[in-house]
Amino acid sequence: MNGGLLVAGTTSDAGKSVVTAGICRWLVRQGVKVAPFKAQNMSLNSFVTREGAEIGRAQAMQAQACRVEPTAHMNPVLLKPGGERSSQVVLLGRPVGEMSARGYHGERQGRLLDTVLGSLAELRASYDAVICEGAGSPAEINLRRTDIVNMGIARGAGLPVLVVGDIDRGGVFASFFGTVALLAPEDQALVAGFLVNKFRGDVSLLEPGLDMLHGLTGRRTYGVLPFRHGLGIDEEDGLRVSLRGTVRESSVAPPVGDDVLRVAVCAVPLMSNFTDVDALAAEPGVVVRFVDRPEELADADLVIVPGTRGTVRALEWLRERGLADAVVRRAAEGRPVLGICGGFQLLGEHIEDEVESRAGHVDGLGLLPVRVRFAREKTLTRPVGEALGERVEGYEIHHGVADVTGGSPFLDGCRVGQTWGTHWHGSLESDGFRRAFLREVAGAAGRRFVPAPDTSFAALREEQLDRLGDLIEQHADTDALWRLIESGAPRGLPFVPPGAPA
């Protein structure tokens, strides 16, 4: 078997990442050696592979769904937004420069098709099947000429296409029809059919619409997935994400001790790897929320300043909103503060940045004895160490080089009192360390909170991926999906006018 499939969507956030992971987990449970692939990803949530390559976190989680190690070939192009109009381009796991959106789509993107097709070919030579994820919508007619992630990759590799639509948003039938009708005939010939995502209610009420859609397009629907809470994997976030007021919770179990623990995460601009806090949210009795006002820190037992692709910009934002003063007051009162990556850097004494913001010398918040200098070479590592008497694993993605001149050692950073800082993403996924850290926080906050003794974040991840596999197995026509992956799009699919404009 040398199969493949492209999971496209009617819109961004239609559920492509989740469906791709679900299909991957279903296939691997059938004994298929499968890999994920996304030609081009725009995300500030990224991961470091064992060979030191940076890829989107969604592809890393999809690799976990496949029970394989992630590699750079699974996400050969990663765009990391640095503002409204520019992004850092990461090619095969390494940054190659900053580009404007116009420059990338007008010049660079079209030249990368051979590169991404080469990565896909490498995977197809090593695996029985490769499940590819598209980006946005394949019907972005203004971008089709240089497209390398939707129909460009489908046509280049001869992949059948399954279009996912989020019915919870409404307008799914129009979106399905319009997506096909805006594609060129050669692209339409690869669109095999549809998958409805996030349906609530009685499927029999939907079936007449699905029959009419089949009559209009000549394409069948491969399944109707029900709405389920808490099934998202590590999200992509594009240029804009507003988590203000969002509560992250993976567990509804009551606290083990008498108190809950409240964690406030500062929703800084260009926030990266906000998935770091998911391991905290998975703990029974820990409530994690994202905040952007100083008064929202008042009842927090722990404040986290997360990673960011714009350390100096985040520092300015904290000061403008009064959050910087609130964080400084907390530290002076001995109340817990944790800075991760960019958040760690801005807690230091000063920053010298001629690379990211080109702001030169900038004073930090002065809470940690750390001086940061931005290097052009990006640090991409998978460190292992010890803290609070527990083994810790993490990963580093940063241009800032920290010179730690004091405090107590803490991973690669330091702590002063109850202010902690580290470049390590993912450290809180180490169960023993997370529990030890939460005990420290609870003690400093005066809370009678007790970490659950048996929470395994890795096991919770596996359960989540199995639930995605169950969704596909139970609510999709898996026999038809198998034929699609193995044999390609059905022959003779009708053209739906008007097609793409000339």
Side-chain angles (χ1 to χ4, degrees), residues 244-312:
R244 192 258 170 277
T246 298
V247 175
R248 305 285 273 191
E249 55 180 354
S250 302
S251 174
V252 293
V256 175
D258 295 330
D259 289 342
V260 299
L261 208 62
R262 296 172 176 83
V263 179
V265 183
C266 297
V268 297
L270 298 175
M271 182 164 32
S272 62
N273 287 54
F274 55 80
T275 49
D276 281 336
V277 303
D278 285 349
L280 293 179
E283 285 283 348
V286 176
V287 179
V288 179
R289 68 183 189 275
F290 290 83
V291 304
D292 63 2
R293 295 195 295 257
E295 57 268 25
E296 294 175 300
L297 306 187
D299 66 344
D301 303 306
L302 168 66
V303 168
I304 295 179
V305 187
T308 171
R309 247 278 280 161
T311 300
V312 170

Side-chain angles (χ1 to χ4, degrees), residues 339-483:
I340 302 175
C341 200
F344 163 46
Q345 295 167 6
L346 61 82
L347 294 181
E349 295 169 347
H350 74 253
I351 299 165
E352 194 68 36
D353 182 12
E354 299 292 349
V355 176
E356 190 175 77
S357 68
R358 297 181 175 85
H361 178 92
V362 178
D363 289 332
L365 297 186
L367 301 181
L368 293 174
V370 176
R371 299 173 181 176
V372 176
R373 175 186 56 82
F374 273 71
R376 298 199 177 277
E377 187 74 17
K378 182 184 282 191
T379 298
L380 296 167
T381 63
R382 290 271 293 271
V384 177
E386 184 177 300
L388 301 179
E390 299 286 347
R391 185 176 187 273
V392 189
E393 295 184 34
Y395 56 100
E396 295 186 51
I397 306 170
H398 54 90
H399 284 280
V401 178
D403 177 21
V404 179
T405 60
S408 302
F410 176 62
L411 302 176
D412 70 325
C414 65
R415 66 175 290 191
V416 173
Q418 289 299 321
T419 301
W420 316 63
T422 177
H423 275 128
W424 290 23
H425 294 290
S427 62
L428 294 167
E429 296 178 18
S430 298
D431 298 326
F433 166 69
R434 182 180 64 254
R435 287 191 276 270
F437 179 70
L438 289 175
R439 283 192 289 269
E440 285 260 353
V441 169
R447 296 286 186 189
R448 291 178 296 175
F449 169 85
V450 178
D454 55 357
T455 300
S456 166
F457 187 71
L460 290 172
R461 280 283 193 202
E462 279 296 301
E463 290 173 14
Q464 189 179 42
L465 292 169
D466 276 332
R467 290 173 67 199
L468 294 178
D470 292 343
L471 268 187
I472 298 300
E473 190 167 332
Q474 296 167 11
H475 300 282
D477 185 340
T478 51
D479 289 340
L481 266 181
W482 185 276
R483 289 193 297 272

Side-chain angles (χ1 to χ4, degrees), residues 88-354:
Q88 183 181 67
V89 181
V90 179
L91 182 62
L92 291 172
R94 296 289 173 181
V96 294
E98 297 276 340
M99 290 200 76
S100 69
R102 179 180 292 274
Y104 179 73
H105 288 289
E107 304 165 11
R108 186 69 183 257
Q109 187 178 32
R111 299 201 297 267
L112 290 174
L113 182 59
D114 288 344
T115 299
V116 300
L117 286 173
S119 286
L120 179 56
E122 288 272 350
L123 294 175
R124 297 187 81 176
S126 303
Y127 292 88
D128 300 328
V130 179
I131 307 303
C132 308
E133 180 188 342
S137 162
E140 305 289 356
I141 54 179
N142 56 315
L143 303 176
R144 176 62 185 90
R145 182 177 62 84
T146 56
D147 170 51
I148 63 170
V149 66
N150 290 306
M151 301 314 299
I153 196 79
R155 203 192 296 188
L159 295 172
V161 179
L162 184 69
V163 181
V164 178
D166 179 355
I167 197 169
D168 198 48
R169 293 181 170 188
V172 75
F173 292 113
S175 298
F176 281 146
F177 180 85
T179 296
V180 178
L182 278 176
L183 298 178
E186 297 85 354
D187 289 343
Q188 286 195 23
L190 296 171
V191 178
F194 313 107
L195 188 74
V196 177
N197 192 29
K198 296 185 182 178
F199 179 71
R200 306 172 191 250
D202 186 344
V203 175
S204 66
L205 299 177
L206 190 65
E207 288 171 351
L210 300 179
D211 291 340
M212 285 186 276
L213 182 67
H214 184 272
L216 287 166
T217 66
R219 289 157 175 85
R220 58 166 298 173
T221 298
Y222 283 76
V224 178
L225 307 185
F227 187 98
R228 293 285 188 269
H229 287 286
L231 283 183
I233 63 173
D234 294 357
E235 300 99 325
E236 300 165 19
D237 48 22
L239 277 175
R240 293 182 180 218
V241 61
S242 176
L243 290 170
R244 192 258 170 277
T246 298
V247 175
R248 305 285 273 191
E249 55 180 354
S250 302
S251 174
V252 293
V256 175
D258 295 330
D259 289 342
V260 299
L261 208 62
R262 296 172 176 83
V263 179
V265 183
C266 297
V268 297
L270 298 175
M271 182 164 32
S272 62
N273 287 54
F274 55 80
T275 49
D276 281 336
V277 303
D278 285 349
L280 293 179
E283 285 283 348
V286 176
V287 179
V288 179
R289 68 183 189 275
F290 290 83
V291 304
D292 63 2
R293 295 195 295 257
E295 57 268 25
E296 294 175 300
L297 306 187
D299 66 344
D301 303 306
L302 168 66
V303 168
I304 295 179
V305 187
T308 171
R309 247 278 280 161
T311 300
V312 170
R313 179 175 168 185
L315 183 57
E316 293 170 349
W317 181 87
L318 289 169
R319 284 174 168 146
E320 289 167 0
R321 290 177 173 260
L323 281 160
D325 289 340
V327 170
V328 170
R329 284 196 300 272
R330 283 185 64 89
E333 294 165 1
R335 302 174 67 195
V337 175
L338 171 64
I340 302 175
C341 200
F344 163 46
Q345 295 167 6
L346 61 82
L347 294 181
E349 295 169 347
H350 74 253
I351 299 165
E352 194 68 36
D353 182 12
E354 299 292 349

Side-chain angles (χ1 to χ4, degrees), residues 79-91:
L79 304 179
K80 302 195 72 175
E84 293 292 329
R85 297 178 182 272
S86 68
S87 294
Q88 183 181 67
V89 181
V90 179
L91 182 62

